[in-house]
Amino acid sequence: MDGQLLKHIRQVANYTQIELAAIVGVNQASISKIEAGINQMQPDTAQRIKQAFKEAGISEKDMTVLHNALTQLRKEGEASASNIYSVKSD
């Protein structure tokens, strides 16, 4: 789970960074840095976050669907950005 996905799922779960951090047992700065892509998530932290989301009613399948949707949006965004540079003027 990358930072952007973490942020989206956290928002779907209706958790603030502070709330998720308290549940998981880390500080809010750790959640913020993971979401910003500054720090990578440790495996034990990832497991605790997944458990917190599960308890909030978000299943592993839901997380996979959100991951796939986010991946597709990123691909579409990259394609749109590359189209900007490929436009030829007469």
Side-chain angles (χ1 to χ4, degrees):
M1 176 182 318
D2 69 11
Q4 193 174 21
L5 179 61
L6 171 61
K7 182 176 181 177
H8 285 289
I9 297 174
R10 177 181 58 78
Q11 291 171 335
V12 169
N14 203 29
Y15 287 139
T16 65
Q17 288 181 346
I18 293 170
E19 291 168 334
L20 181 59
I23 293 166
V24 173
V26 298
N27 60 40
Q28 179 270 332
S30 295
I31 299 294
S32 177
K33 288 177 182 178
I34 293 168
E35 288 183 356
I38 297 168
N39 289 351
Q40 290 189 354
M41 195 178 326
Q42 297 300 315
D44 61 322
T45 303
Q47 286 302 326
R48 292 193 310 266
I49 287 173
K50 286 180 181 180
Q51 183 60 37
F53 290 154
K54 183 178 178 182
E55 291 171 7
I58 299 171
S59 69
E60 193 80 32
K61 183 177 178 182
D62 295 333
M63 287 185 243
T64 300
V65 168
L66 289 168
H67 174 264
N68 293 340
L70 186 58
T71 300
Q72 184 62 35
L73 287 172
R74 286 177 184 159
K75 286 179 184 176
E76 290 172 6
E78 290 169 6
S80 296
S82 66
N83 288 339
I84 292 170
Y85 298 107
S86 66
V87 172
K88 296 179 183 178
S89 59
D90 293 327

